[in-house]
Amino acid sequence: MSAAPVRRIARIVARPTLWLPLLSLLVFLAVWEAVGRSVDPLLFAPPSRMAGELPELLSSGELAAATGVTLQALVVGYLLAAVSGVLLGIAIGQWDTLGRLLGPYLFGLFSTPRVVLVPLVILWFGIGYGGRLFLVFLWSMIAIATTTADGIRNARPDLVEVARSYGAGRAQTILHVLLPGSIPFVLSGLRIGAERAVVGVVIGEMFLEITGLGGLLQDSAQSLETARMLWAVVVIAVIGTVLITGLDALERRLSSWKAEPT
Amino acid sequence: MRDPEPAAPKIRVDGVAKFFEKGGGGDAGQVRALDGVDLDIAPGEFLTVIGPSGCGKTTLLRIIASLTDPDAGRVLVDGKAVDSPSPERAMVFQSFGLFPWKTVLDNVRFPLRVRKAPLSEATETAMEFLGKVGLADFAHSHPHQLSGGMQQRVGLARALATDPDILLMDEPFGAIDAQTRELMQEELMRLWQGSGKTVVFVTHDLDEAVLLADRVLLLSRSPGTVRALIPVDLPRPRWDYDVRALPGFTDIRARLWSMLRDDLVFAESHGPGPATAGAR
C-alpha cells in the first residue's frame, strides 16, 4: 500500500492552503488601510478605525444582538428550506407531471429579484419576522428543490433496477438509491440555497424590517458611520463563509466513499 | 437429459414472446426479440443460456426475473404465474449493480433490509455470506476499492443473502478478466453444488456455458426461439479435474459451436440483426 507516502505528500501540498490565504489577508488589510486613510472618513473606513470602533460595538451588545437576530431568521429559514426543498425535489424528480406543473412558477420566482417582491411580502406577511423568514426561505428552498430534482432524475437506472429486482418499494428505492445517488446535486443545491438565504436575510433586514445586521448596516450607512457599517458587512461575510465551509466539510464527509484512490 | 416430467418444473416459461419498438425510423415497426419460448427448468438445475448477440437471452432472463413484462405468454414459478420481481429470484448483474456509496456489508445487507429484517440479524446473515465468498475482511470497504472479481463476489453474496430458490445470472463474469473468471466459475459451482438452488445463467462464453451447466439452452438469432437444449452429463464436482480436457466436454462444445456458428456467420454478413437495438 502506498497510502503513507501519498498522505505525506498531501500534507505538504495542503500547507499552502493555510499560509497562502493568511498572506493574502495581510496584503489585503494593508491595501485597505492605505486606501482607507487616503479617502474621506465619511465614505470609507480603514481597518484601524474599525478596530477602534469595535470595543463600543461589543460592550454595548449592539453587534451581538444584531447578529443574533440575523442568525435566528437565517438558521430557521435555511433549515426549513433544506428539509422542504429536498422533499419537494424528490417529489418533482419522481413525478414529471408535478415538475411540469410547478416548474414555471419555481423558475419564474427564482429569477425575480427579491427586492421587487418586498412590497408584496409586506402585504402578505406584514413587517416582521414572518416576512423576513419568507425572504430567507422561499428562494433558498427553490434552489435546493430544483437541484435535488435534477439529481433524482439523473439517478442511475441500472441501480434503480437492482433495487426493484430485490423487491424494494418506492420509499426504499428513494432512501437507498435515489437520494444517496443525488448527494452531489443536493449539496450543490444546499450551497446555492445558502447563498440565497444569506442574501434573503439581509434584504429582509434592510428593506422590510430594519433590524439585525442588515438593519445595522442600513442605519450606520444613513448616519455615515462607515466603520460600524463595515463591521456589519464583515460579520455577514463571516456568516456566509462559515456556512459554505460547513457545507464543504459535509460534502467531503458524504462523498468519502469515492475520495480514496483505488 | 434430465427428465423434467416426473418432478414439477421449478420454472416454466410458457409461450413467452417479446417485441420492441424499432428505434429511430419513421415506421413504427416492431422487432421480435423473443418468439414463443417454451421451457421447463427443473428444481436444482443449472441451466446456461447461450446464443448470438441480440438473440434475446438477456431479455428472457429479465422476463423470468419480472424486470421486463412479456408481450405474450407467462412465467410460472412453482406452478404460479409471476409478475413482479422478488428476492426469491435473485439477480446477479453483469455490471455488478453494487451501490457505490454503500459499504460491501451494506450492499449485502440491502435485500435483507428491504425485507425489514432486524439490523443485527441482517448483519449476521450478510457477514455469513461475505465469509462464504471470502470477503469478510472487506466488509467495510467500498465497491470501488475492490477488483472486478471481488465486486462480483459481493454481488453473489448479496443475491444469496436472502436464500433464494432461484439465481438469475446475466453474464455475471463477462466483465471479469479470464483468469479470475475461472476462479469465479469454480467458486460459483462450489456455492451451488448441493444447495438445491435453480440457476439460470446467461453467457456468451461457450466454454463457460458447457462447464457450468446441467443443460445448455441455445437460442436462435432474432427472434430468439429455443434452438436446442443440450444436456451436459459430465461428472460433478467439476473442479476436481480438468473438465475442458474431457472428450465429453469437447464433443458438446463442438456441437454447440457448429450450431452457433451458422447464426454468427449470418449476423456477420447481415449486420447485427434487427433486435439488437432493443435487446437489453
Side-chain angles (χ1 to χ4, degrees):
Chain A
M1 278 290 166
S2 59
V6 167
R7 231 171 272 145
R8 203 172 304 137
I9 292 163
R11 221 172 289 139
I12 294 163
V13 177
R15 263 176 216 150
T17 65
L18 210 82
W19 60 258
L20 270 180
L22 273 176
L23 182 71
S24 107
L25 184 67
L26 282 176
V27 173
F28 174 70
L29 286 174
V31 172
W32 180 0
E33 183 71 40
V35 174
R37 277 165 195 256
S38 62
V39 176
D40 186 337
L42 290 180
L43 299 179
F44 202 54
S48 57
R49 199 146 63 77
M50 283 180 67
E53 195 77 28
L54 189 60
E56 202 225 308
L57 264 175
L58 287 180
S59 61
S60 69
E62 201 181 348
L63 192 63
T67 307
V69 168
T70 300
L71 276 180
Q72 209 272 338
L74 180 65
V75 169
V76 171
Y78 182 59
L79 285 181
L80 278 177
V83 173
S84 53
V86 168
L87 291 177
L88 182 63
I90 291 171
I92 294 176
Q94 281 276 282
W95 294 286
D96 284 341
T97 319
L98 187 66
R100 274 191 276 270
L101 285 173
L102 289 180
Y105 302 100
L106 294 182
F107 284 116
L109 262 176
F110 194 65
S111 336
T112 310
R114 270 166 289 185
V115 193
V116 173
L117 293 177
V118 166
L120 207 58
V121 174
I122 293 175
L123 286 179
W124 292 345
F125 295 93
I127 296 171
Y129 182 60
R132 284 192 287 124
L133 205 57
F134 182 78
L135 285 170
V136 178
F137 166 79
L138 189 66
W139 281 262
S140 177
M141 189 276 284
I142 294 174
I144 296 165
T146 48
T147 45
T148 301
D150 280 345
I152 298 283
R153 276 191 290 260
N154 277 294
R156 278 173 57 184
D158 59 324
L159 294 182
V160 173
E161 182 151 82
V162 170
R164 195 157 75 89
S165 82
Y166 284 105
R170 188 184 283 277
Q172 286 167 325
T173 305
I174 289 172
L175 193 66
H176 287 283
V177 186
L178 297 179
L179 206 48
S182 307
I183 287 299
F185 287 85
V186 174
L187 282 166
S188 95
L190 287 175
R191 273 163 152 281
I192 304 169
E195 181 262 328
R196 289 276 166 160
V198 171
V199 175
V201 79
V202 175
I203 287 178
E205 290 169 351
M206 288 179 74
F207 302 111
L208 195 132
E209 180 187 19
I210 308 296
T211 181
L213 292 167
L216 181 64
L217 185 75
Q218 188 83 311
D219 280 343
S220 30
Q222 268 162 16
S223 52
L224 301 177
E225 293 171 277
T226 39
R228 284 160 61 91
M229 190 190 93
L230 286 172
W231 271 117
V233 172
V234 166
V235 176
I236 291 166
V238 167
I239 290 174
T241 310
V242 167
L243 203 52
I244 297 296
T245 311
L247 287 169
D248 281 348
L250 187 69
E251 178 162 25
R252 272 195 300 278
R253 222 186 119 79
L254 288 178
S255 55
S256 60
W257 54 269
K258 59 182 172 186
E260 309 131 69
T262 40
Chain B
M1 180 162 166
R2 287 198 169 184
D3 191 1
E5 277 309 307
K10 182 72 190 171
I11 305 171
R12 165 162 284 173
V13 178
D14 184 11
V16 160
K18 182 71 194 175
F19 313 107
F20 288 106
E21 297 298 325
K22 201 180 270 178
D27 292 328
Q30 282 186 325
V31 172
R32 283 178 298 170
L34 288 171
D35 202 0
V37 175
D38 293 306
L39 179 69
D40 278 357
I41 305 168
E45 178 174 7
F46 201 123
L47 180 85
T48 56
V49 184
I50 198 158
S53 63
C55 73
K57 45 190 192 290
T58 292
T59 306
L60 177 63
L61 194 75
R62 291 173 54 85
I63 289 173
I64 297 174
S66 302
L67 286 173
T68 300
D69 292 327
D71 289 315
R74 56 191 185 149
V75 172
L76 298 107
V77 172
D78 293 325
K80 287 193 207 82
V82 291
D83 59 4
S84 62
S86 153
E88 282 306 309
R89 280 163 282 142
M91 192 79 175
V92 179
F93 300 84
Q94 179 178 13
S95 55
F96 317 139
L98 301 179
F99 302 116
W101 50 81
K102 284 183 189 285
T103 61
V104 163
L105 176 61
D106 278 333
N107 266 289
V108 179
R109 244 181 345 203
F110 172 73
L112 300 156
R113 296 296 283 162
V114 165
R115 289 175 137 196
K116 309 250 169 13
L119 187 63
S120 59
E121 193 189 308
T123 307
E124 201 177 307
T125 311
M127 286 308 295
E128 180 194 333
F129 282 95
L130 279 175
K132 282 189 181 176
V133 298
L135 287 177
D137 291 344
F138 293 88
H140 300 290
S141 303
H142 280 94
H144 74 94
Q145 295 168 302
L146 308 180
S147 69
M150 290 161 95
Q151 290 191 42
Q152 194 56 296
R153 299 219 297 269
V154 177
L156 198 54
R158 178 174 64 181
L160 291 170
T162 49
D163 195 22
D165 285 350
I166 298 170
L167 262 184
L168 303 174
M169 309 183 77
D170 183 13
E171 303 195 22
F173 309 146
I176 295 169
D177 69 87
Q179 282 161 9
T180 311
R181 191 182 310 153
E182 290 197 19
L183 289 176
M184 299 287 295
Q185 289 160 349
E186 182 183 324
E187 205 163 320
L188 175 63
M189 283 194 281
R190 284 181 193 273
L191 286 166
W192 168 78
Q193 191 126 325
S195 70
K197 294 187 194 307
T198 309
V199 183
V200 184
F201 186 108
V202 169
T203 178
H204 60 256
D205 178 340
L206 205 49
D207 278 10
E208 184 172 72
V210 180
L211 171 75
L212 297 171
D214 288 326
R215 280 193 299 167
V216 180
L217 165 65
L218 177 68
L219 288 178
S220 60
R221 78 180 142 74
S222 173
T225 52
V226 176
R227 178 125 185 251
L229 265 165
I230 314 273
V232 181
D233 288 323
L234 301 170
R236 286 188 193 271
R238 291 182 189 160
W239 58 82
D240 276 354
Y241 61 99
D242 187 5
V243 194
R244 290 175 180 81
L246 230 64
F249 181 94
T250 43
D251 290 351
I252 294 166
R253 194 192 183 287
R255 226 175 114 194
L256 281 166
W257 173 242
S258 67
M259 287 192 275
L260 190 56
R261 194 177 174 280
D262 301 339
D263 280 348
L264 293 178
V265 168
F266 181 89
E268 279 304 308
S269 54
H270 290 75
T276 36
R280 268 205 61 95

